[in-house]
Structure formats: C-alpha cells, structure tokens
Amino acid sequence: MIDVAGVHYATAGVYAIATVVLSLLTLQIKDAGRRYLYPIIAIVALGGAMAVAWGAGLGTYSVGSGEIMVPQVITDYPTYAVLFGFTVYVANAGRRYIGLVVGLLLGVRFAYDLVAVLEGTLAIVANGAIIVGYGAAVALMYGPIAQEAAKEAPRRELLYKKTRNLIVFIFAMLVVWSQLQVSGILDEFTLIATLQYTNIIYRVGFAAFVVSNIDVLIGESKQSTEKESAVAHAITSD
C-alpha cells in the first residue's frame, strides 16, 4: 500500500508531466499570450518541487500546538496570489480589486496556518476567518467585479465567469478540506491524498483551462492595441 510519502512523490510526478506538456503547448501560442501563461506554469512546477520536499520530510517544524509544513507554505501563497489575481485581471476590474481579492485569499491562507498552531478560542477565531475571508472574496467576485466584467466584450466576460466559477468551486473544496482536518474525522493518509488530489486539480486544471482559452485574451489585447493606435494616429493627424 502506498504511504504518505508516496502520495507526495506521485503528486510531484503528475506536476512534472503537466509542466512539460503545458510548456510545449505554450510554445505553440503567440508571444502575446505566453506572458499570461508563464506565471501559471511556474506555480505548477513549484508545486512539483515542493511535493518532493514534503515527501522527503523537509521543512516540517513544530510551532505552538501543531506543525508548519514549509513546502506547503511556499507553494500555496504564490498559487493563491497568481490564480485569484489572474481571475480578477480577466474581468479588467483594476488593480484595486486585484489587490483586495488577493489580500483576502492570502489572509485566508494565513488563518489556516494559525489554526494549525493555535488552540482554544484563538484557533476557533482563526478558523472562522477562513470562512469569512473566503466568503468576502466570493461576494466581490460575483458582485462588483462581475459588474466590471460585464463592461467588457462578451467573450471576455464569459471567460471571466468560467474562470471565476472554476476557481471558486475548487477553492471551496480546500475550505471544506480544512474543516475536515480541524474536525479530526479523517486519518493522515486520507487527508494528504485528498489534499494533493485537490491541489492537482487546482493548479493543473486551472492552467489547462487558461491555455485552452488564451485566444480570448490575445484577441482582446490585440483589439485594445489597435484602438490605441487608431486614437494616437487620429491625434497626430489633427
């Protein structure tokens, strides 16, 4: 039977294959689209490297009443920032909303770390912050950010809706997982296996989705450039 370390190593293998495949697909995409894909592919590769470290037992430290897994921390924080930041970027909602949503999700991730090392009332408060922070981010993405996306071309608005729904659903799975971990219902092997499975869907699935829909962003960028050039030409002509 495969052990916990085996789960991490198998996960690393999936990430390695996905990184190669996604990189090859990216090379077939026009330069204008590659800049969107590089950060997303990077977090897939980072996930693989940290899965190896985690499987080897590196970077696990006892803090307070629990443990902090440094490889998990190193891969989670940039993943949340890139994926949620990219989703809000698709809506063209501006840097303020990107910063707000990313900040909320990083706060959620930090609250998870606090739950892992605290006890009693403080742990309960931190656990509540996970749910509240995630709920606030979802409210923004279905509320004012969705309204900003509605101002964009129909294809870009649709891409935002699909990207948002995907990331909200998958992250909801992680929130549920965190509650199962706190409850102590599942054993360590089941917890790690379900976590890594969700992580693979979260990173690789999201990356594959963006690759398959990158033509929308390329098209929008091209149209924006053409409009700016037309305006500049009109001004200089006058």
Side-chain angles (χ1 to χ4, degrees):
M1 180 177 177
I2 189 172
D3 58 9
V4 171
V7 172
H8 292 307
Y9 292 139
T11 300
V14 173
Y15 281 136
I17 294 172
T19 300
V20 173
V21 172
L22 290 169
S23 297
L24 291 175
L25 291 174
T26 299
L27 292 176
Q28 301 176 23
I29 294 173
K30 297 177 181 179
D31 291 342
R34 293 179 187 176
R35 63 190 179 94
Y36 297 112
L37 301 177
Y38 290 144
I40 298 174
I41 294 175
I43 64 174
V44 174
L46 178 62
M50 291 302 101
V52 171
W54 200 353
L58 302 176
T60 299
Y61 299 98
S62 295
V63 179
S65 61
E67 292 182 332
I68 291 293
M69 273 70 78
V70 175
Q72 184 183 16
V73 170
I74 291 175
T75 187
D76 279 358
Y77 279 85
T79 295
Y80 292 6
V82 170
L83 269 58
F84 277 89
F86 176 83
T87 300
V88 180
Y89 171 80
V90 172
N92 204 20
R95 294 180 180 178
R96 179 167 63 94
Y97 279 120
I98 292 176
L100 188 55
V101 171
V102 169
L104 281 170
L105 266 298
L106 293 182
V108 167
R109 183 59 184 79
F110 182 67
Y112 169 78
D113 287 333
L114 293 179
V115 172
V117 301
L118 297 176
E119 293 181 311
T121 303
L122 292 177
I124 294 173
V125 171
N127 191 49
I130 293 175
I131 299 172
V132 172
Y134 176 64
V138 171
L140 285 172
M141 296 175 77
Y142 279 88
I145 296 175
Q147 293 174 7
E148 292 297 319
K151 300 176 184 177
E152 299 299 309
R155 291 185 69 205
R156 182 152 183 161
E157 181 188 8
L158 179 60
L159 177 60
Y160 167 71
K161 289 181 178 179
K162 289 181 177 180
T163 309
R164 175 200 62 194
N165 293 346
L166 175 64
I167 199 171
V168 165
F169 172 73
I170 298 176
F171 197 83
M173 294 171 62
L174 290 174
V175 172
V176 171
W177 181 90
S178 72
Q179 301 310 300
L180 291 174
Q181 183 185 38
V182 170
S183 68
I185 295 175
L186 303 179
D187 60 83
E188 181 185 9
F189 176 83
T190 304
L191 279 171
I192 294 299
T194 52
L195 173 62
Q196 293 292 33
Y197 174 74
T198 304
N199 281 339
I200 289 172
I201 297 175
Y202 194 42
R203 294 172 173 83
V204 178
F206 188 90
F209 174 81
V210 174
V211 169
S212 63
N213 289 276
I214 196 65
D215 62 303
V216 176
L217 288 178
I218 295 175
E220 293 300 322
S221 298
K222 182 178 180 181
Q223 290 176 12
S224 298
T225 302
E226 290 176 348
K227 288 181 180 178
E228 292 173 359
S229 299
V231 171
H233 178 71
I235 293 174
T236 53
S237 296
D238 292 341

